[in-house]
């Protein structure tokens, strides 16, 4: 049966176009209930259970299926995902509405419908002859959809009666819309709100915690005092932004001060405009990363960024007077120049809420169901949730979602989603770390794995098409110990004409990952492999990362080769790129490769090749440094793990050898050569990487630090910085050069991926190279896969596809890659921090020598070279007399009583784990030397309370 709709549309050119939309209706769409004679197995995919044995509902004791409307799906997805909820009919009408309104929820509901154990059935009601409804005159789309859902629910109940008169199978309509529920009951459809139904499942009381509290009025605090001003509706905000009354931007909360935030104004490329917001009422219920509309305050109300550290740790939930008092402490006497444009949030354009990890702060009121949840991320406000299982959740990491933020509530309302496990447990903390940094880490789905090659795999004749056979070459790889995802291998040999041939061979990952398929989409979403201390979250499935793409020794592997002909002075005479097949003759660690180079007894082909590479690498490095490339330093840490418990038993900084540098030089050379080639071929859509030069203000701290040690650092160009760093040496203090390089690293900007057609500045500041890209690590970086595809098209080894030559799509891809890389870095740092805490937990208290990296108003930041560890020594502590502090920003220096501290001064500190705040355990340092009465502690008497939480607990129990 066919329904058709005809309408006329005016085209851009001024013509009139007749559009006919045909809608087919069918009789053969199954209801999803197995054993239904009428449908005769017309259903495909996951189906409902013939006899649902779901948890007994006191409202509906007989067997039943659930049919939710759109709003229930959108807002109560956490309930629907619970294993207790099964046998749910998802209508096409509902699914389409959800798809239009929330992509993340749509993805979650698709995952649930694909889970066979959940028995969720998607019913195509819009194409079923008996359930299709046409929009009536005067009826809006929303009302039409509500009617369509009721028609489908009624049809289901009548249809199932025919199937099993004796079974009394029912379909229950779940809706939170009061009018829709009333209409359904009038029409004889059993209907309940989500809350009524969930509360009727007496065997599953924990489900109530997962209900999203939606009616803001119902959940407002009884006091009813309005704290915040009303958010303006979207239409008014858009008008205001258009007229320039309001500004649109991203809300960035402060980690240091919960009463302060900044808004980065959109569409202001000349001067990335930043507006400062101070005080609860001006923040007006915005949450970190929300897109907000801001109104600028008059100049006489502008403020300066505060230097006060304020964390929201008060127990009294709604003590607004106290907040106002705290706000006044922010407004210190300040210089006119320090004032920044200041504003207030007038409305929310887009909420960017996500599920948050953290801990429950249990209410002191006995039997209370209302508790505050404290997120692990200090930028997120505390969230009020209702739960009956507070005692069980104390001391555990949990996930909570925000539902809304009423005007008269100090905190947003939310609901409990998931219990992750005990605080401090290694598995739990790793999970928290991955969730908080938005690292995709679920196992690869079947859809993704279905695109992997079938095993056993070998190179076929078809694979060798457009590919050179280089299996005869003496190729070897050099990597860190324990590396299984080997991206790169090298070779070096003398040519008959007296020149040298050097090859960099990179795993040909793009051969296995074809554009647009599920495997490609998942790799693009992940963007990068994330290396934690004891875990690797792969970008591509293990079969590729550790086997078929990994250039292991003595197996044939597909590669993408970059081969240069050089003279003995490392000058490039020719370069060519080719897809190839190689067979690596050795997989070496940096230490093994170094040993071969240094051993006079070894003269085999591999060693000769390594020596040739090493000699050329030294020349290349020297030339690169002469051009102004920077050699910076960061204290990287390596843990030695206990083989049984996998806890860190030793901690030391990583040792770098000549061979690390050798591999790095040829990887840089390959990346630069490939960047030139792809930009030559695709000037508008080459994927490149740039490193912007830092603004001069970034270097102030470095210049001042050097000056305090009578050294001069010049920062006008990368070359002058590199040269002055090389000259900055002190016989009496040899470590000062490393400290300066560590400090210089902190002054740098972030390197980013970009599309060549969307930018004019290609320069890579740190490498002093006019053009650069990433080509050498496609197993662990998605950017390299795109670069491989571009290069393959450039040399005619593969065909192109539309997305590859669309600069806007490429720019979006770069945005995601930059975000994923940044998050991976943060996750890696958090993993090192957690393992460092574990190390000091077992180690107890230790005293070590360190150097001051930064001087603050009331503290010094100390670096411990032995452990590559940084920590802060505070000089103002609660319940202790305040010492006399004089801070000088110019030098910079901090005078405590009669002792003056400068950057790079040597100190001795006591290091220990401070567990007083379970959620934010941290390494705490106290000064031992120099001795300052009342501040320093003796090396023997730590005078520190490590087990603070235990003491607090005992106090409560008394």
């Amino acid at each position: 049966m066919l329904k058709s709709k005809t309408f006329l549309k005016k085209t851009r050119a001024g013509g009139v176009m007749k559009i006919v939309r045909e809608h087919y209706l069918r009789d053969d769409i199954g209801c999803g209930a197995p054993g239904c004679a009428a449908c005769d197995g017309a259903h495909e995919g996951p189906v409902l259970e013939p006899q649902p044995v779901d948890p007994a509902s006191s409202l509906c004791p007989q067997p039943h299926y659930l049919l939710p409307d759109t709003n229930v799906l959108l807002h109560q997805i956490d309930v629907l995902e619970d294993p207790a909820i099964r046998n749910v009919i998802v209508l096409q009408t509902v699914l389409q509405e959800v798809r239009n309104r929330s992509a993340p929820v749509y993805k979650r509901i698709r995952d649930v419908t694909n889970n066979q154990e959940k028995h969720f059935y998607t019913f195509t009601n819009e194409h079923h002859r008996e359930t299709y409804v046409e929009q009536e005159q005067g009826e809006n789309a929303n009302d039409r959809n509500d009617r369509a859902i009721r028609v489908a629910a009624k049809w289901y109940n009548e249809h199932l009666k025919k199937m099993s008169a004796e079974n009394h199978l029912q379909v229950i309509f779940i809706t939170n819309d009061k009018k829709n529920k009333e209409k359904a009951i009038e029409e004889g459809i059993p209907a309940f709100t989500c809350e009524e139904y969930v509360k009727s499942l007496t065997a599953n009381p924990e489900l109530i915690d997962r209900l999203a509290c939606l009616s803001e009025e119902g959940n407002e605090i009884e006091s009813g005092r309005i704290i915040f001003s009303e958010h303006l509706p979207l239409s008014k905000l858009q008008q205001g932004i258009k007229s320039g009354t309001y500004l649109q931007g991203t809300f960035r909360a402060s980690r240091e001060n919960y009463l302060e935030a900044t808004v980065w104004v959109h569409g202001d490329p000349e001067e990335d405009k930043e507006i400062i917001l101070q005080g609860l009422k001006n923040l007006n219920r915005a949450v970190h990363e929300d897109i907000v509309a801001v109104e600028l305050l008059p100049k006489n109300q502008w403020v300066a960024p505060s230097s006060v550290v304020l964390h929201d740790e008060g127990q009294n939930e709604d003590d607004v007077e106290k907040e106002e008092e705290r706000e006044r402490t922010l407004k210190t006497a300040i210089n006119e120049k320090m004032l920044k444009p200041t504003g207030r949030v007038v409305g929310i354009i887009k909420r960017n809420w996500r599920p948050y990890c953290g801990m429950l702060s249990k209410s002191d009121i006995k039997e209370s169901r209302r508790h505050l949840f404290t997120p692990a991320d200090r930028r997120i406000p505390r969230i009020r949730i209702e739960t009956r299982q507070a005692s069980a959740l104390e001391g555990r990491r949990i996930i909570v979602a925000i539902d809304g933020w009423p005007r008269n509530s100090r905190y947003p309302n939310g609901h409990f989603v998931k219990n992750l496990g005990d605080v401090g447990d290694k598995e739990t903390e790793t999970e928290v770390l991955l969730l908080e940094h938005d690292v995709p880490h679920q196992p690869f789905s079947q859809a993704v794995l279905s695109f992997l090659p079938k095993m056993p795999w070998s190179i076929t004749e078809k694979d060798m098409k457009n590919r050179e056979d280089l299996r005869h070459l003496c190729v070897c790889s050099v990597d860190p110990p324990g590396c299984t995802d080997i991206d790169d291998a090298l070779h070096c040999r003398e040519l008959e004409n007296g020149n040298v041939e050097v090859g960099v061979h990179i795993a040909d990952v793009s051969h296995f990952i074809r554009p647009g398929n599920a495997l490609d989409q998942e790799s693009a979403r992940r963007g990068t492999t994330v290396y934690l201390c004891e875990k690797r979250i792969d970008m591509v499935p293990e079969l590729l990362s550790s086997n078929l793409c990994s250039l292991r020794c003595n197996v044939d592997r597909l590669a993408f080769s970059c081969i240069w002909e050089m003279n003995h002075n490392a000058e490039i005479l020719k370069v060519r790129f080719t897809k190839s097949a190689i067979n690596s003759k050795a997989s070496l660690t940096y230490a093994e490769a170094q040993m071969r180079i240094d051993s006079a007894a070894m003269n085999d082909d591999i060693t000769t090749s390594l020596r040739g590479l090493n000699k050329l690498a030294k020349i290349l490095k020297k030339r690169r440094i002469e051009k102004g490339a920077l050699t910076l330093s960061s204290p990287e840490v390596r843990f030695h793990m206990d083989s049984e418990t996998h806890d860190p038993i030793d901690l030391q900084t990583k040792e770098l050898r000549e061979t690390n540098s050798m591999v790095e030089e040829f990887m840089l050379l390959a990346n630069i050569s490939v960047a030139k080639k792809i930009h030559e071929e695709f000037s508008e859509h080459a994927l490149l990487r740039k490193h912007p030069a830092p603004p001069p203000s970034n270097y102030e701290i470095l210049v001042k630090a050097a000056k305090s040690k009578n050294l001069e650092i010049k920062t006008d160009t990368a070359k002058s910085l590199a040269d002055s760093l090389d000259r900055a040496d002190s016989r009496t203090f040899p470590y000062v050069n490393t400290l300066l390089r560590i400090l210089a690293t902190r002054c740098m900007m972030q390197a980013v991926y970009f599309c060549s057609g969307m930018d004019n500045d290609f320069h890579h500041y740190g490498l002093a190279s006019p053009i650069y890209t990433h080509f050498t690590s496609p197993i662990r970086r998605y950017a390299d896969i795109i670069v491989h595809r571009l290069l393959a098209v450039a040399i005619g080894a593969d065909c192109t596809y539309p997305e590859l030559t669309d600069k806007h799509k490429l720019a979006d891809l770069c945005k995601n890659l930059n975000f994923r890389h940044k998050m991976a870095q943060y996750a890696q740092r958090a993993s090192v921090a957690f393992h460092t805490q574990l190390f000091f937990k077992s180690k107890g208290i230790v005293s070590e020598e360190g150097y001051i990296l930064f001087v603050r108003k009331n503290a010094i930041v100390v670096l411990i070279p032995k452990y590559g560890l940084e920590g802060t020594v505070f000089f103002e502590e609660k319940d202790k007399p305040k010492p006399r502090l004089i801070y000088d920003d110019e030098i910079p220096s901090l005078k405590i009583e009669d002792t003056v501290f400068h950057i790079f001064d040597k100190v001795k500190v006591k290091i220990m784990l401070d567990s007083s705040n379970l959620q934010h355990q941290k390494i705490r340092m106290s000064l031992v030397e120099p001795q300052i009465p009342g501040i320093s502690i003796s090396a023997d008497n730590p005078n520190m309370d490590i087990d603070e939480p235990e003491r607090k607990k005992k106090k409560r129990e008394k």
Side-chain angles (χ1 to χ4, degrees), residues 786-934:
I786 296 291
V787 170
H788 276 226
R789 288 174 183 167
L790 288 164
L791 185 61
V793 175
I795 63 166
D798 206 344
C799 48
T800 185
Y801 59 99
E803 281 80 9
L804 196 65
T805 52
D806 181 332
K807 64 181 183 181
H808 297 286
K809 287 216 168 121
L810 210 55
D812 287 343
L813 181 74
C814 288
K815 197 175 167 187
N816 179 53
L817 294 178
N818 291 329
F819 170 71
R820 293 289 180 211
H821 275 261
K822 189 168 72 179
M823 286 299 135
Q825 274 182 329
Y826 290 162
Q828 284 154 8
R829 281 179 211 161
S831 178
V832 168
F834 174 63
H835 279 77
T836 308
Q837 288 171 11
L838 285 181
F839 171 70
F840 282 105
K841 193 174 184 177
S842 59
K843 186 103 174 157
I845 300 164
V846 293
S847 288
E848 286 296 342
E849 287 188 337
Y851 299 97
I852 298 175
L853 266 190
F854 300 102
V855 177
R856 302 273 186 247
K857 282 185 180 174
N858 60 347
I860 53 173
V861 179
V862 177
L863 172 77
I864 313 293
K866 181 178 174 183
Y867 299 129
L869 175 69
E870 238 174 85
T872 308
V873 177
F874 287 100
F875 295 118
E876 286 180 336
E877 291 198 46
K878 269 185 197 168
D879 314 324
K880 284 191 181 173
K882 285 192 178 180
R884 195 171 75 252
L885 301 176
I886 302 166
Y887 175 67
D888 184 340
D889 187 34
E890 279 310 302
I891 302 176
S893 70
L894 179 66
K895 187 176 182 182
I896 302 153
E897 301 297 344
D898 298 318
T899 309
V900 181
F901 289 102
H902 296 97
I903 292 186
F904 300 162
D905 281 359
K906 197 175 194 176
V907 291
K908 192 171 188 181
V909 293
K910 189 146 271 188
I911 312 164
M912 52 151 289
L913 181 66
D914 177 2
S915 306
S916 58
N917 180 338
L918 266 180
Q919 167 111 295
H920 297 112
Q921 295 191 31
K922 56 181 180 282
I923 298 293
R924 193 160 144 204
M925 292 187 183
S926 289
L927 192 67
V928 176
E929 284 172 20
Q931 288 275 317
I932 305 173

Side-chain angles (χ1 to χ4, degrees), residues 512-548:
F512 296 98
I513 299 181
R514 302 310 295 161
N517 68 23
L519 176 56
D520 182 47
Q521 286 170 0
E522 182 61 20
S523 307
R525 186 173 80 92
R526 293 185 178 217
T528 176
T529 292
V530 182
Y531 295 89
L532 305 181
C533 290
E534 279 189 273
K535 197 176 187 174
R536 190 179 83 200
I537 315 295
D538 280 326
M539 180 184 83
V540 299
E542 199 179 0
L543 178 67
L544 296 182
S545 68
S546 296
N547 187 349
L548 302 185

Side-chain angles (χ1 to χ4, degrees), residues 67 91 123 125 128-134 144-158 173 180 184 187 189:
L67 192 149
L91 297 180
F123 178 62
N125 64 309
H128 192 292
R129 196 153 53 93
E130 293 176 35
T131 58
Y132 173 74
V133 299
E134 285 203 45
R144 180 258 166 212
N145 287 346
D146 283 348
R147 190 162 57 86
I149 296 167
R150 290 197 306 276
V151 165
K154 191 168 186 179
W155 174 85
Y156 252 108
N157 276 312
E158 286 165 3
F173 177 42
N180 207 4
E187 290 166 20
I189 304 162

Side-chain angles (χ1 to χ4, degrees), residues 485-757:
D485 50 346
I486 304 170
D487 285 290
D488 52 88
L490 301 148
H491 90 271
C492 173
R493 62 174 182 170
E494 288 274 340
L495 295 173
E496 286 173 6
N497 62 6
N499 289 331
V500 184
E501 179 186 86
V502 175
V504 164
H505 311 277
I506 305 299
D508 188 5
V509 182
S510 62
H511 173 84
F512 296 98
I513 299 181
R514 302 310 295 161
N517 68 23
L519 176 56
D520 182 47
Q521 286 170 0
E522 182 61 20
S523 307
R525 186 173 80 92
R526 293 185 178 217
T528 176
T529 292
V530 182
Y531 295 89
L532 305 181
C533 290
E534 279 189 273
K535 197 176 187 174
R536 190 179 83 200
I537 315 295
D538 280 326
M539 180 184 83
V540 299
E542 199 179 0
L543 178 67
L544 296 182
S545 68
S546 296
N547 187 349
L548 302 185
C549 291
S550 185
L551 305 180
R552 305 189 305 192
C553 60
N554 302 319
V555 286
D556 291 350
R557 287 290 176 259
L558 300 178
F560 210 145
S561 301
C562 173
I563 300 166
W564 302 274
E565 186 178 326
M566 296 180 176
N567 59 22
H568 286 274
N569 198 24
E571 284 159 344
I572 299 168
L573 307 171
K574 281 185 202 162
V575 61
R576 66 189 182 91
F577 307 97
T578 176
K579 289 229 174 186
S580 61
I582 63 164
N583 186 306
S584 171
K585 304 298 181 272
S587 297
L588 307 171
T589 65
Y590 290 117
E592 287 166 349
Q594 193 65 54
M595 205 175 68
R596 278 175 177 260
I597 290 168
D598 297 341
S599 165
M602 298 189 82
N603 287 303
D604 56 283
D605 288 353
I606 292 166
T607 309
T608 311
S609 175
L610 286 169
R611 283 188 190 131
L613 289 165
N614 198 34
K615 191 177 143 210
L616 292 166
K618 284 178 182 174
I619 303 168
L620 287 168
K621 185 171 186 176
K622 185 168 176 275
R623 198 175 296 149
R624 205 164 51 79
I625 288 168
E626 278 167 7
K627 276 190 194 165
L630 299 171
T631 314
L632 300 177
S633 180
S634 67
E636 283 202 71
V637 176
R638 175 165 238 117
F639 292 96
H640 291 272
M641 300 293 182
D642 183 300
S643 55
E644 296 291 316
T645 64
H646 294 286
D647 282 344
I649 45 177
D650 195 11
L651 178 79
Q652 66 188 50
T653 45
K654 290 181 184 173
E655 188 186 342
L656 294 177
R657 296 179 172 81
E658 246 182 31
T659 42
N660 291 68
S661 180
M662 174 188 86
V663 173
E664 186 189 2
E665 282 312 312
F666 287 108
M667 297 306 121
L668 293 176
L669 191 62
N671 286 336
I672 292 167
S673 299
V674 170
K676 286 176 183 167
K677 178 72 179 172
I678 61 171
H679 184 246
E680 231 170 72
E681 292 288 330
F682 305 104
S683 60
E684 284 291 294
H685 41 257
L687 191 152
L688 302 174
R689 187 164 176 81
K690 67 171 180 175
H691 181 214
S697 58
N698 278 30
Y699 285 129
E700 273 176 21
I701 188 77
L702 178 69
V703 174
K704 285 177 183 175
K707 198 175 170 188
S708 72
K709 291 286 175 265
N710 297 319
L711 297 168
E712 189 187 12
I713 295 287
K714 289 187 174 166
T715 60
D716 39 339
T717 65
K719 171 89 177 118
S720 59
L721 174 64
D723 291 346
S724 56
L725 279 171
D726 286 341
R727 286 194 299 271
D729 253 331
S730 163
R731 281 187 189 165
T732 53
F733 184 13
Y735 196 67
V736 73
N737 193 270
T738 308
L739 287 168
L740 282 166
R741 290 181 195 275
I742 289 170
L743 207 51
T745 309
R746 309 291 167 92
C747 302
M748 293 300 146
M749 305 290 282
Q750 189 85 33
V752 289
Y753 296 111
F754 69 100
C755 169
S756 59

Side-chain angles (χ1 to χ4, degrees), residues 409-427:
S409 169
R410 166 68 186 83
Y411 297 110
N413 292 328
H415 66 274
F416 167 77
V417 175
K418 191 178 177 186
N419 182 348
L420 293 173
D422 288 329
V423 170
D425 173 70
K426 208 183 298 180
E427 289 294 310

Side-chain angles (χ1 to χ4, degrees), residues 39-190:
C39 297
D40 196 24
H43 17 260
E44 288 175 19
V47 290
L48 304 158
E49 286 180 295
Q51 273 302 305
V53 280
D54 285 338
S57 161
S58 54
L59 289 172
C60 181
Q62 66 260 50
H64 56 269
Y65 301 134
L66 299 178
L67 192 149
D69 73 357
T70 309
N71 282 326
V72 169
L73 225 62
L74 277 171
H75 302 297
Q76 306 292 355
I77 182 72
D78 287 320
V79 172
L80 295 171
E81 282 178 335
D82 193 281
I85 302 290
R86 290 161 37 191
N87 294 297
V88 174
I89 298 160
V90 182
L91 297 180
Q92 180 190 3
T93 311
V94 171
L95 208 53
Q96 281 170 346
E97 272 197 278
V98 169
R99 187 179 192 168
N100 292 337
R101 285 168 64 182
S102 171
V105 174
Y106 178 73
K107 186 186 181 303
R108 284 168 74 180
I109 204 70
R110 295 300 306 181
D111 290 344
V112 174
T113 49
N114 290 333
N115 179 350
Q116 306 274 353
E117 291 167 17
K118 290 280 288 172
H119 298 285
F120 272 51
Y121 180 67
T122 311
F123 178 62
T124 323
N125 64 309
E126 295 290 351
H127 291 279
H128 192 292
R129 196 153 53 93
E130 293 176 35
T131 58
Y132 173 74
V133 299
E134 285 203 45
Q135 194 166 341
E136 290 171 357
Q137 214 168 352
E139 185 179 43
N140 66 28
N142 208 20
D143 290 343
R144 180 258 166 212
N145 287 346
D146 283 348
R147 190 162 57 86
I149 296 167
R150 290 197 306 276
V151 165
K154 191 168 186 179
W155 174 85
Y156 252 108
N157 276 312
E158 286 165 3
H159 180 78
L160 292 177
K161 259 184 208 160
K162 291 178 207 161
M163 181 183 114
S164 57
E166 68 286 349
N167 279 351
H168 301 300
L169 255 176
Q170 259 190 330
V171 167
I172 293 178
F173 177 42
I174 306 289
T175 178
N176 287 333
D177 182 329
K178 211 172 172 184
K179 281 185 185 166
N180 207 4
K181 184 188 163 191
E182 284 167 5
K183 281 182 183 171
I185 292 166
E186 273 172 32
E187 290 166 20
I189 304 162

